[in-house]
Amino acid sequence: MTGSRRAVPEEPGSRRAVPEKPSLDGIEERHARRWEADGTYRFDRGRTRDEVYSIDTPPLTASGSLHVGHVYSYTHTDIAARFWRMRGREVFYPVGWDDNGLPTERRVQNYFHVRCDPSLPYHPDALAALGITGDELPEAAGRKRREEAPTRLSRRSFIELCALLTARDERVFETLWRRLGLSVDWSMTYTTIGSTARRVAQRAFLRGLAAGEVYHALAPTAWDVDFQTAVAQAEQEDREVAGAYHRLVFGLDNDDPGGGAHTIEVDTTRPELLPACVALVAHPDDARYRSLFGRTAVSPLFGAPVPILAHHLADPGKGTGIAMVCTYGDVNDVTWQRDLRLPIRSILGRDGRFIAADLTSSTEGSAFYATLVGRSVTQARREIVARLAETGRLVGEPRPITHPVKFFEKGDRPLEIVTSRQWFIRTLEHRDTLLAAGRELRWQPEFMRRRYEDWVSGLTSDWLISRQRYFGVPFPVWYPLDEHGEPRHDAPILPDESALPIDPQSDPAPGYREADRGRPGGFMGDTDVMDTWATSSLTPQIAGGWCEDEDLWRRVYPMDLRPQAHDIIRTWLFTTVTRALQLDGSLPWHTAAISGFITDPDRKKMSKSTGNVVTPMQPLEEYGSDAVRYWAAGGRPGADTAYDTNQMRVGRRLATKILNVSRFVLGFEPVDPVSGGSAPFDSVPGVSEAPGVSGAPGGSVSGVSEALDRAMLAQLGLVVADATAALEALDYTRALERVEAFFWTFCDDYVELVKGRAYGAGPGSRSARSALTYALDVLLRLFAPVLPYVTDEVWSWWRDGSIHRAPWPGGAPISQPGAGDPAVFAAASALIGAVRRAKAAAGVPMRTETPSVAIPADTPGLAHLDAVREDLLAAAHTGAVTADSDG
RNA sequence: GGGCGCGUAGCUCAGCGGAAGAGCACUCGCCUUACAAGCGAGGGGUCGCUGGUUCGAACCCAGCCGUGCCCACCA
């Protein structure tokens, strides 16, 4: 056996040789292609549930803008997927595109400068008129003709356009995700507007309806006047906006026996709602108003008589302590209308403009109101305030304030409250069950559980799932029309489940002909579509084959992992739990891993509106996927992390280092350090074997005789145990830290110490080369989940197949007689460090031979000097190492 | 207004009851036969503030301050 360097052979069969000059260039294309060709990440459905690790991946928003935040969190998931795959679990890791819903509509509207007009008939050439032929889409057509009026499209043409654009977006995005190296099975990709998703969503809806968990009702709901759709609680956000208190003077009826005041002053920030005023409300204990309860006030300008009433929600500290109740200014108005049985006086239409209304008003008031019809809220406010001032009914000047106002999170104007017919899923009455589910779920990190609990505890209404939009899953419902052509909402017509998916706009109701649509005595289809969360809350069911592929369903559900960001706990996580409880009575997954946000280097949240978004392709190309993944892996679960190209540089350096040290180790004559197989660390007694791994070759290291070599392997064994435990707990950051720290010590100290011996001959050389090969094998596997490209690159130099299907290393090596002592490894590092310091302090270059080197007597590990003396002297280029008590 | 997270070297962060750590940046030295896209050495911190518990606190408790996120009832 000789330690001479091996000549690099030409490509030997399926394995590539160890290259003379290893490089990261081109490895991504090469291995991505190989993974695809070999089906490396293909899901094998032959496994049973306990052998499967299933992941309910967040559907990628194809219509949104991509930024490195996506790369960040998806990398975390991919690390878990790769880890469990190497542990022997069959990983169910499909990916979906969340393409339905408002974001897509908005993107299509802006991109093509079009609007949907459901009243238009379908025209087959409508898209061609926009310059669209086949799959060829013009570049952002809308931008060029922004000054023109948008092109109006029929509902069907608009949906076609949405489908075309999302299909193209999805192709672009898939390229990026593949480049990042996500180990998903791309053959199982689904979309939330696809026929499977529509069928699953409609089936879940019908079952919910049958179970009484889904209902529809005519109710006041938050309404976006621009998108003209209802908006659920989860999609609303508060924004601080400028407003102003206006102090209005109401009249009082004249039957006050005490001859008290004849007017009453009321503060409001929404004076334009004065014509919709139906009452004044003060707190029952408010001494200022107690004597007025039961009396009647008269509204200024409009002369409408309104009762003065008491309700505990009135806040004596706000304004003058008495509030104007309108139809509807805010959610309190809704409560007051209901609790105090007040009349409804609607003045706002669905487009946010004043509508003709039959008001209880004076003649002059009615005449004034007529001039407001068709005005927007802002215009009407201006006119009403001006008139109030003219007539002396405004006290002083409006007092500017900033206050929180509810907005649709994607909207630009404040939400109004409009009464309309909507579909709901029951959540309020299941609050306790939902809270119990949150306690049962495992959260990573744990503190995120609180977000969920607070949200569920704070629910104020059932989940509103209908949207008055177009690109979504239609409600599978028709209504019979009575003899006047009015829909009978109390007698909905439902399809059979076997007919799903259906579109009530194009499919006739069962028992009717298409010609009966819209006719008295005929039918009409429900025009609404489901909110995007109503479909994406079913991702486990859609991806897992619920009622579609029961065999698959049994193998993957309930899923192991739900990874997602913390901003959608109240939406995606909450709604998925709600659906699973309703459909199966169980949790949809075992663990929720919540990732943080990416901030810019100034620690500001990266978002489109801030304009600080970094798109991912550029860093992927500049630093490489492994390097970007390395940066992502440095962000702890749930922690917001700064975008940091420095870390990507470090990651790239690590990848390069792996290439170089591998070239060094594999450059020796081949040594098989493992007897009986190529899977060191497997099947070591006392170490739990990965589930699903059967027949993994056992092995023990042979020929490793030197104490230092054994010590290094013993330390490596500890690292394996540590990294494994960390990854099992989804703490990929700690796992990487431990592995990386060992790796650098391995390179800088161990390799330097044994290099000379390895180049030599005899048992000492064989021991070093065996240990080096063995350690490299293990280190590559430990790095593989984070750095999939470079590790598979090195793997391909000397091993068959992909490292990503190789078993995860398990347990301590050479636990058999003569096991190494990790303390010797630490001592060796400390000793070589002390020698280097001594030579540096003496101004002697490291490689300069010296007769002896004196190191401090308190150097840690001095007791192990004898065990590593020969290697130390060789590495230190010195004849002797002595302990110097002077330090 | 409420909840939660975070404040440790210039920067990004680990450590979470027993002598202040890593990487980057910075300074100096080395073209050492895996790697100069490298290697070695070094300087640099009253661990946000104030109290408390303890033999001992970056770490536990209380209260502040700063910062970020989530939530909240628009008069």
Side-chain angles (χ1 to χ4, degrees), chain A residues 738-749:
Chain A
R738 296 305 307 266
V739 174
E740 194 187 1
F742 176 86
F743 175 73
W744 285 107
T745 309
F746 171 80
C747 290
D748 296 340
D749 295 344

Side-chain angles (χ1 to χ4, degrees), chain A residues 626-647:
Chain A
D626 282 344
V628 173
R629 292 171 62 103
Y630 173 88
W631 158 74
R636 309 190 79 79
D640 292 348
T641 301
Y643 179 71
D644 188 356
T645 53
N646 236 330
Q647 283 304 106

Side-chain angles (χ1 to χ4, degrees), chain A residues 685-707:
Chain A
V687 173
S688 64
E689 203 166 303
V693 175
S694 56
S700 61
V701 187
S702 63
V704 180
S705 50
E706 299 296 312

Side-chain angles (χ1 to χ4, degrees), chain A residues 239 280 338 390 543 567 645 654 712:
Chain A
R239 294 182 203 162
L280 298 180
R338 193 186 58 219
E390 284 166 22
D567 57 330
T645 53
L654 173 63
M712 184 274 291

Side-chain angles (χ1 to χ4, degrees), chain A residues 159-345:
Chain A
I159 291 171
E160 285 175 0
L161 201 51
C162 289
L164 275 176
L165 189 61
T166 52
R168 194 191 66 173
D169 286 346
E170 287 159 14
R171 283 194 298 275
V172 172
F173 279 38
E174 184 176 327
T175 306
L176 178 90
W177 295 118
R178 281 180 183 267
R179 173 64 178 271
L180 181 62
L182 297 185
S183 62
V184 308
D185 183 344
W186 291 99
S187 72
M188 297 191 301
T189 304
Y190 63 91
T191 70
T192 59
I193 196 65
S195 61
T196 302
R198 293 205 309 276
R199 196 159 53 236
V200 167
Q202 291 186 339
R203 183 187 300 118
F205 169 84
L206 291 175
R207 297 214 179 161
L209 196 57
E213 293 295 329
V214 172
Y215 66 96
H216 66 155
L218 194 62
T221 53
W223 185 269
D224 187 285
V225 297
D226 292 313
F227 289 108
Q228 297 199 32
T229 181
V231 173
Q233 186 185 355
E235 293 173 292
Q236 299 170 26
E237 65 183 23
D238 285 357
R239 294 182 203 162
E240 285 289 331
V241 299
Y245 271 123
H246 298 72
R247 184 156 294 180
L248 276 48
V249 181
F250 277 63
L252 266 178
D253 53 356
N254 288 323
D255 54 0
D256 178 3
H262 290 273
T263 59
I264 183 165
E265 296 183 352
V266 180
D267 274 340
T268 179
T269 56
R270 300 208 59 186
E272 72 277 13
L273 291 182
L274 182 59
C277 179
V278 291
L280 298 180
V281 169
H283 195 274
D285 300 333
D286 194 331
R288 293 170 294 181
Y289 300 106
R290 206 179 293 153
S291 66
L292 296 177
F293 294 142
R295 293 182 59 187
T296 301
V298 179
S299 70
L301 303 189
F302 299 95
V306 293
I308 302 170
L309 302 169
H311 193 280
H312 67 274
L313 279 181
D315 182 350
K318 279 190 181 167
T320 58
I322 188 162
M324 197 168 90
V325 184
C326 307
T327 305
Y328 294 100
D330 63 19
V331 293
N332 266 351
D333 285 348
V334 177
T335 307
W336 285 328
Q337 187 273 322
R338 193 186 58 219
D339 288 2
L340 303 172
R341 299 175 188 282
L342 298 169
I344 289 173
R345 204 165 280 169

Side-chain angles (χ1 to χ4, degrees), chain A residues 692-743:
Chain A
V693 175
S694 56
S700 61
V701 187
S702 63
V704 180
S705 50
E706 299 296 312
L708 176 56
D709 303 338
R710 290 181 166 270
M712 184 274 291
L713 292 179
Q715 179 62 35
L716 178 56
L718 298 177
V719 171
V720 168
D722 239 20
T724 305
L727 283 167
E728 283 176 347
L730 288 168
D731 193 348
Y732 39 82
T733 306
R734 180 180 168 81
L736 174 60
E737 256 170 32
R738 296 305 307 266
V739 174
E740 194 187 1
F742 176 86
F743 175 73

